[in-house]
Amino acid sequence: MKKKITIAIDGHSACGKSTLARGIADTLEYTFIDSGAMYRGVALYAIRNSCLSKDILDVKRLISLLPELSLNFYKSEEGSCLYMGEENIEDEIRKPHVASIVSKVAVIAEVRKKLVAQQRIMGKDGGIVMDGRDIGSVVFPNAELKFFVTASKVVRSKRRFIELQKKGIKQTIEEVEKNLIERDYIDSTRPESPLTQVADAIVLDNSNMTIDEQLSWALQKVFEIISLK
Ligand code: DC
């Protein structure tokens, strides 16, 4: 049997990283982990535990409450879903009130330390496809295959807008674009594990690709690497 490799997928907000990661994982029968969901989970936890007042995050309080936070992925009918304790929070973490503060939560070193440690345990045996911002640079710097995914701002805003509409979440396309620009800026300029394109990542600009096209393109690279193992 071929060795099960580790595949790291990083890139900008709403560029289809998770869709690609899920597609690759399903094809290879690997584990798929959406690390952004975990940061969103911490943001939801902060909101629910009064760590936020008028958009100001009480970082000290959140750090003091982190040891009690339990986030885990479990399989459900809709696929892999994030749970906070016993509660499936997959829908809640996609809502705008969570998206609007998640980048502020993701800059906190203690938050990153906790989540990165958990992510490394999830990937210790390989056979994993994880997407995020620091997967190829920090979480799995020795991953056998790394992708850096991007797409134009207009395309990303449109895709996220349609996704939110389907879920019945009301936001204008301008609001969606503003949130993406803000998050990209914070994610790329923060001192702690900023979003970077590592030298050994394969770049994928999927602005003009369908979901199937990007999956076939990426799978070609995946099978090339696996055949060498
Ligand atoms: O992938 P996403 O948009 O669901 O991620 C939500 C936020 O979490 C994003 O704005 C940046 C942060 N994030 C991070 O800092 N590191 C990761 N590995 C994944 C996400």
Side-chain angles (χ1 to χ4, degrees):
M1 207 177 91
K2 292 271 179 208
K3 181 183 173 233
K4 288 200 161 193
I5 65 167
T6 298
I7 302 174
I9 303 184
D10 291 300
H12 293 108
S13 297
C15 63
K17 300 181 298 292
S18 298
T19 306
L20 177 64
R22 191 180 293 110
I24 297 174
D26 285 349
T27 309
L28 300 178
E29 296 184 358
Y30 278 18
T31 302
F32 156 61
I33 300 290
D34 170 2
S35 71
M38 299 171 76
Y39 288 92
R40 287 168 180 266
V42 179
L44 180 64
Y45 182 68
I47 294 168
R48 287 186 176 175
N49 287 280
S50 318
C51 298
L52 210 75
S53 130
K54 292 189 189 139
D55 269 2
I56 308 284
L57 184 65
D58 185 340
V59 175
K60 255 194 182 164
R61 178 170 167 77
L62 176 58
I63 293 171
S64 74
L65 292 171
L66 276 180
E68 274 124 72
L69 169 63
S70 146
L71 293 172
N72 285 294
F73 289 95
Y74 296 114
K75 287 234 175 330
S76 79
E77 275 167 21
E78 306 105 62
S80 165
C81 289
L82 186 68
Y83 281 70
M84 186 190 292
E86 311 252 296
E87 180 191 355
N88 182 340
I89 55 168
E90 198 56 42
D91 286 340
E92 204 56 29
I93 57 171
R94 308 290 160 193
K95 293 188 176 167
H97 69 295
V98 174
S100 69
I101 69 142
V102 64
S103 284
K104 289 183 192 160
V105 165
V107 301
I108 304 170
E110 287 80 356
V111 169
R112 304 204 69 87
K113 199 169 156 215
K114 177 179 171 94
L115 298 190
V116 169
Q118 192 176 351
Q119 289 155 4
R120 287 188 178 143
I121 293 170
M122 290 167 171
K124 71 181 183 355
D125 300 323
I128 191 163
V129 189
M130 190 177 289
D131 80 281
R133 305 295 188 289
D134 61 342
I135 311 305
S137 55
V138 174
V139 182
F140 301 127
N142 298 323
E144 286 88 346
L145 185 55
K146 299 177 185 178
F147 289 106
F148 186 87
V149 189
T150 191
S152 77
K153 275 194 189 94
V154 174
V155 168
R156 291 191 285 131
S157 307
K158 224 190 222 166
R159 285 182 189 155
R160 180 50 56 88
F161 176 70
I162 293 169
E163 195 182 306
L164 290 175
Q165 266 194 330
K166 276 190 197 151
K167 289 184 178 164
I169 297 171
K170 287 194 173 53
Q171 255 198 332
T172 64
I173 195 148
E174 289 78 18
E175 285 169 334
V176 172
E177 183 169 328
K178 186 167 169 275
N179 176 254
L180 293 188
I181 293 171
E182 261 170 28
R183 284 204 290 138
D184 283 346
Y185 178 75
I186 300 176
D187 296 342
S188 314
T189 55
R190 65 182 179 219
E192 201 65 44
S193 311
L195 167 65
T196 36
Q197 185 186 314
V198 289
D200 54 346
I202 302 173
V203 179
L204 164 62
D205 182 337
N206 64 22
S207 302
N208 298 308
M209 282 179 168
T210 64
I211 290 173
D212 287 347
E213 282 167 351
Q214 77 159 354
L215 179 60
S216 321
W217 183 93
L219 282 175
Q220 235 178 332
K221 315 279 174 201
V222 170
F223 289 128
E224 274 168 29
I225 296 288
I226 290 181
S227 68
L228 299 175
K229 296 289 154 193

